[in-house]
Amino acid sequence: MRKGIVACIGMMIGLVLLVVSFLGPWYLVNASGVLGGDYTMEMFLAHMDFQGSFGGQDISMSVDYADAKTSMQSTDVNMESFATIETAMYMMLLAMVTSALSIICMVAFVFNKGKPKTMKGLGGLFAILTFVLTIIPALYFMNTEFVEDSSGFWFSYSGFGMTISGGPGYAWYLVIVVVIIAAICAAAILVKKITPQAVAENVASPTNT
């Protein structure tokens, strides 16, 4: 049962990382020298946070994307990227559900509850779904231009006394880790052979209760 236990623990770790990544920033934009101040924009799945300093005063605000569509029309933020963020949010919610279902099925398989073949198959299936639901938004983000006329997912621009740079936040990196974990766990549980002893114990258990 070693592979089953490893896969189960791996998916538990993956679920924790999913929750942390869901709450963390996915993309960051830093600007210095703009109007004599320094600014940071953090793009979460449900809202955007701004921190900065201007004229010796600290500025901090948070807006959801519905308000940002109207309040940020005159900025270089690409409004079309908001659709990618919204899609990623829903896919991450689904990924948390499939991850939890995978854990339940894997635990049932490890502790020989239910039909071993069914629990093993469902555990692997939900792990694969978790893999798919996490790798798609991660790739979407890599191919999205969050700042207009930027050179790519990672970018840096300097000119006229200003420096503007952008790149993924720690939440995006955590999702990449989850992608790897889900793939490994899916493979581990699916290649795990069901022992005749486990089948016999499962068959015999109803008569022992």
Side-chain angles (χ1 to χ4, degrees):
M1 287 293 179
R2 183 184 301 175
K3 290 181 180 178
I5 295 174
V6 170
C8 185
I9 294 175
M11 290 304 296
M12 289 179 181
I13 295 173
L15 179 57
V16 173
L17 295 180
L18 278 175
V19 174
V20 174
S21 63
F22 185 84
L23 300 174
W26 279 57
Y27 199 77
L28 306 175
V29 177
N30 297 297
S32 61
V34 180
L35 298 177
D38 297 322
Y39 308 92
T40 299
M41 179 180 70
E42 296 178 314
M43 304 182 79
F44 296 77
L45 292 182
H47 60 91
M48 302 171 67
D49 285 357
F50 299 88
Q51 296 90 31
S53 60
F54 178 72
Q57 293 185 340
D58 293 332
I59 302 172
S60 180
M61 62 180 295
S62 180
V63 296
D64 59 33
Y65 290 105
D67 293 334
K69 288 180 181 179
T70 56
S71 62
M72 301 186 67
Q73 291 291 339
S74 59
T75 67
D76 290 333
V77 176
N78 183 11
M79 302 300 167
E80 295 181 359
S81 67
F82 294 170
T84 299
I85 297 172
E86 183 179 16
T87 301
M89 180 181 69
Y90 290 122
M91 296 191 77
M92 288 296 291
L93 288 171
L94 288 174
M96 285 188 275
V97 173
T98 57
S99 179
L101 291 174
S102 178
I103 293 170
I104 292 172
C105 294
M106 288 181 183
V107 169
F109 173 72
V110 170
F111 290 97
N112 202 26
K113 302 296 182 181
K115 296 181 178 179
K117 185 176 181 179
T118 300
M119 293 299 102
K120 169 190 169 182
L122 288 175
L125 174 62
F126 286 125
I128 292 174
L129 288 175
T130 301
F131 168 82
V132 173
L133 290 169
T134 49
I135 195 172
I136 290 177
L139 293 177
Y140 273 170
F141 261 70
M142 286 189 67
N143 291 278
T144 298
E145 187 180 62
F146 293 95
V147 177
E148 293 182 353
D149 300 323
S150 61
S151 57
F153 191 50
W154 289 269
F155 75 91
S156 181
Y157 166 80
S158 297
F160 305 103
M162 301 182 301
T163 300
I164 302 175
S165 61
Y170 72 81
W172 183 84
Y173 289 105
L174 288 180
V175 172
I176 297 299
V177 175
V178 175
V179 169
I180 298 172
I181 290 176
I184 293 174
C185 292
I189 195 70
L190 291 175
V191 301
K192 175 71 176 71
K193 294 182 179 180
I194 301 174
T195 63
Q197 181 182 0
V199 176
E201 289 177 357
N202 182 260
V203 173
S205 59
T207 63
N208 294 332
T209 58

